[in-house]
Amino acid sequence: MTESSLLQRLHQQRQYIYSSLPAVSGHLVRVVGLTLEATGCRAAIGQPCLVESIRGPILAEVVGFANDRLFLMPQDDITGVVPGAKVTPVLQYKGVPLSLNLLGRVIDGVGKPLDGKGPIKATEFSKGKGKPINPLLRRPVKQPLDVGVRAINSIVTVGKGQRMGLFAGSGVGKSVLLGMMTRGTAADVIVVGLVGERGREVKEFIDEILGEEGKARSVVVAAPADVSPLMRLKGCETAVQVAEYFRDQGLDVLLLIDSITRYAQAQREIALAVGEPPATKGYPPSVFAKLPALVERAGNGSGHQGSITAFYTVLSEGDDLQDPIADASRAILDGHIVLSRTLADSGHFPAIDIEKSISRVMPAVTSPEHQQLARNVKQLYASYQQSKDLIAIGAYVRGSDPLLDQAIGLMPKINLFLQQGMKDIVPYDDSLAALSQVLPAPRMAG
């Protein structure tokens, strides 16, 4: 393929353009797995390059180098790449299109439309991470955010600008719970990052879970499991970039990332491919540096900026909450919601284990009466769960523990309160009213 035809194909992709500066091209010398190695090419870390192939140019990104050898990770399938293929740096990259026209659209990890509705009109483009906000200038989390889920609104109350983890194994209802929140939230804009999950879920989430009303105020970034690790990594980062854009417009954003574990696994694949040594369970150190860098971009803005309230799903391998990614995520988030396989198997949905779930900002966004009621319900729930086996075999003698006696009498009412249909939306005020009816309590303020 000639250089002129290579440039012609490049100009057809609107996101990538050359500047007037000359490009220092090189050639491929080695391909191992998905890692491309090139020499003679001068390009910076993170810079996109075009790799010649018999199918046409393939986009790849520089992810590392050793001496004069560059390591590149492709965005697409590398079938058709030949030995000695020409590698040409892209000297100017427009980036992800950012505009209000993103609402209602589905894009991939680099901002290309996936919904067949044509290009996205934008005058602003993101070329990477947004400018960090000085932590001292961020507004504190002081207002609750209505997510439309009774158990979360009342027992694990989320604040506007909070970062929460959704911890669960596979098949216990994470996507369903995220869908419930998209329909019931009071946020202005919803940004959903479907990263590393089943491709089938993308269309289901858009058509069945979001629906027409939810889709109108949502942006979906899809990077399913069958795309390259680079695209999965970028899928997560693009979702955050889009959320930052809407936050900077003064809007309140609900950011849902499903899942941050796949983001960590994608970084592990890339880092190991370029020679970074493995550490905890095969995860290299760069993974644990990227996680807080991603999470810290959410939260309240400063001045006239809006907020990003974020939920990151964390896959617990084998339902192990001490998994390295789960443990690292729990340390940098503002709370966590744990979904229980036992509850899911018993038909209890959403399968939120309120005993193991906590919101660290709940004391700052709720009244003392609300906190006391939530604490009482959790105590009764925990007391019953800890003695459930004794009760089941008839070994517990009534009168031995007054708290457990009260829990046994109230558990049917508590379980009914914690369950909710996936199509139902329970506003924040209704959630508090229902909580006050579970136990006798003083009248709640607001």
Side-chain angles (χ1 to χ4, degrees), residues 73-96:
M73 191 66 63
Q75 291 185 9
D76 305 308
D77 181 24
I78 60 173
T79 302
V81 171
V82 296
K86 190 173 184 178
V87 179
T88 307
V90 177
L91 296 181
Q92 189 171 348
Y93 170 49
K94 276 191 175 181
V96 178

Side-chain angles (χ1 to χ4, degrees), residues 190-211:
I190 303 157
V191 179
V192 183
L194 300 176
V195 179
E197 299 297 327
R198 296 181 291 274
R200 171 184 62 81
E201 289 186 335
V202 176
K203 186 168 178 60
E204 282 186 3
F205 192 93
I206 295 166
D207 294 342
E208 299 177 16
I209 297 179
L210 272 182

Side-chain angles (χ1 to χ4, degrees), residues 141 161-165 330 332-336 358-361:
V141 179
Q162 185 174 0
R163 289 81 57 93
M164 288 286 283
R330 190 165 44 241
I332 58 178
L333 293 168
D334 301 325
H336 51 271
I358 190 169
S359 169
R360 294 178 183 173
V361 305

Side-chain angles (χ1 to χ4, degrees), residues 320-340:
D320 178 17
L321 294 179
Q322 306 309 316
D323 172 82
I325 300 303
D327 196 45
S329 300
R330 190 165 44 241
I332 58 178
L333 293 168
D334 301 325
H336 51 271
I337 296 171
V338 178
L339 299 187
S340 163

